[in-house]
Amino acid sequence: MTSKLEQLKQYTTVVADTGDLDAIARLQPVDATTNPSLLLKAAALPRYAGLLEHAMTGCGGDLGLACDRFAVAVGQEILKVIPGRISTEVDARLSFDSQATIGRAERLIDLYEQAGIARKRVLIKIAATWEGIRAAEQLEKAGIQTNLTLLFSFAQAVACADAGVFLISPFVGRIYDWYKKAEGRDFTGAEDPGVQSVTRIYNYYKANGYDTVVMGASFRNLGQIEQLAGCDRLTISPELLQQLAEEQGLLERQLAPGSSGEARQVLDEQAFRWALNEDAMATEKLAEGIRQFARDQLKLEMLLSEKI
């Protein structure tokens, strides 16, 4: 019998959630994603030392530009070993500024295109705030496709689909973490709140004919991944990808078009903000995620400043 990873690839596009080139080459995902936290880890790897040095060249001390250049340089290296796309993230400190997000996204795409990478191989990652979703809506119309990240609530998913974003990344593991702590118990299988969240979104999108891709992210264990087999895409850490590659046994498809989903909704800004406010988990995890990515962005800037 083939491994669970090979079986998963029959139903789902597998994406590597890492900047580790060795792991990507070994596990052969279609796409890959990075974020400020993963870039910070990549910056500590000897193989990226030269890219880190080069990122500062000609930046005139602009640490934001240097970070973008490093992110694009890492993305270029990853694109050499995958057939699909790289997701590169906008500075999380711009999460509540639509125009600044658009400007940074355009700069990232320009840097990729200057390096000879077509924009069709890049997704721009943006936090799924109201302002981020509005920025993504404009970017999509301009031919820059987006990956809306830090997505924890159904309201965020509804707004993203309505805005016509290319892809969303609902965070399975972080939802699980919150409920495990809040309720003082563990969750397995289909009762896992993170699994339930992605399942609900997937069924809603398919039932209403949305083209937006659902890519489950932030997994804590193989059980979560197995329960979402059939989701459009899943972005998985190298550690869990390796476990899947070593696991034998039948992996059955759990998600497929045709399941019942809720009626189509449209949320204006007031309704979106209220729905998010009423979801304590999503409110806390969204804010926490933005803060963490912002802190790691600052650490990366400090690392680059030492190269000046």
Side-chain angles (χ1 to χ4, degrees):
M1 180 175 287
T2 58
S3 71
K4 287 188 175 180
L5 180 58
E6 290 307 310
Q7 292 177 71
L8 179 64
K9 288 178 179 179
Q10 296 175 21
Y11 313 127
T12 293
T13 299
V14 174
V15 179
D17 195 11
T18 183
D20 184 340
L21 275 174
D22 292 330
I24 292 169
R26 183 176 70 254
L27 296 163
Q28 299 184 316
V30 174
D31 295 344
T33 61
T34 62
N35 60 45
S37 303
L38 293 175
L39 288 174
L40 186 62
K41 291 179 182 178
L45 298 174
R47 73 182 306 158
Y48 288 130
L51 297 182
L52 206 60
E53 294 280 355
H54 183 69
M56 288 302 301
T57 306
C59 285
D62 185 338
L63 294 175
L65 177 57
C67 284
D68 283 354
R69 290 184 64 180
F70 180 65
V72 169
V74 172
Q76 284 178 258
E77 293 301 306
I78 292 172
L79 285 171
K80 292 176 183 177
V81 295
I82 61 171
R85 297 182 173 210
I86 184 70
S87 286
T88 300
E89 192 150 348
V90 167
D91 188 336
R93 292 169 294 184
L94 305 179
S95 296
F96 303 102
D97 188 332
S98 296
Q99 289 308 309
T101 294
I102 291 169
R104 189 60 64 89
E106 291 173 339
R107 184 166 79 181
L108 287 167
I109 288 295
D110 285 344
L111 288 169
Y112 271 113
E113 291 185 332
Q114 288 169 25
I117 304 297
R119 64 178 58 190
K120 67 181 181 180
R121 296 201 68 195
V122 181
L123 293 177
I124 299 297
K125 287 180 75 175
I126 299 169
T129 58
W130 178 259
E131 294 82 2
I133 295 168
R134 299 281 68 81
E137 184 175 35
Q138 293 185 53
L139 289 166
E140 293 283 351
K141 291 175 180 176
I144 297 174
Q145 292 187 308
T146 57
N147 170 353
L148 272 288
T149 188
L150 294 176
L151 193 143
F152 302 99
S153 74
F154 189 66
Q156 288 173 292
V158 168
C160 285
D162 195 47
V165 307
F166 178 78
L167 179 148
I168 63 167
S169 296
F171 276 40
V172 178
R174 297 195 196 186
I175 295 173
Y176 162 83
D177 293 342
W178 191 92
Y179 280 101
K180 183 178 179 181
K181 181 179 179 180
E183 298 190 13
R185 65 187 183 98
D186 203 357
F187 299 90
T188 59
E191 71 166 359
D192 186 309
V195 169
Q196 291 177 348
S197 177
V198 176
T199 300
R200 182 186 182 193
I201 292 166
Y202 177 91
N203 289 337
Y204 173 75
Y205 278 15
K206 301 312 177 193
N208 290 285
Y210 288 114
D211 292 329
T212 299
V213 174
V214 181
M215 182 172 75
S218 170
F219 293 101
R220 298 293 181 256
N221 54 64
L222 293 190
Q224 292 172 337
I225 296 168
E226 292 176 16
Q227 284 295 321
L228 294 174
C231 191
D232 299 327
R233 303 185 190 190
L234 297 176
T235 181
I236 305 169
S237 69
E239 294 77 16
L240 288 175
L241 283 173
Q242 188 63 46
Q243 288 182 41
L244 283 168
E246 294 169 357
E247 284 266 340
Q248 301 296 312
L250 181 63
L251 180 68
E252 295 184 354
R253 183 169 190 167
Q254 302 294 328
L255 302 184
S259 299
S260 60
E262 295 156 66
R264 185 168 183 154
Q265 302 177 32
V266 176
L267 300 175
D268 61 16
E269 182 176 358
Q270 182 181 13
F272 173 88
R273 293 193 186 281
W274 180 252
L276 192 60
N277 178 75
E278 288 298 279
D279 189 331
M281 175 276 298
T283 299
E284 291 176 23
K285 298 307 284 187
L286 173 60
E288 177 186 87
I290 290 172
R291 287 194 298 267
Q292 182 60 58
F293 284 163
R295 281 195 294 268
D296 286 340
Q297 183 82 16
L298 279 169
K299 290 177 184 177
L300 184 58
E301 288 181 0
M302 289 177 64
L303 190 63
L304 284 162
S305 71
E306 295 170 2
K307 304 294 180 183
I308 299 175

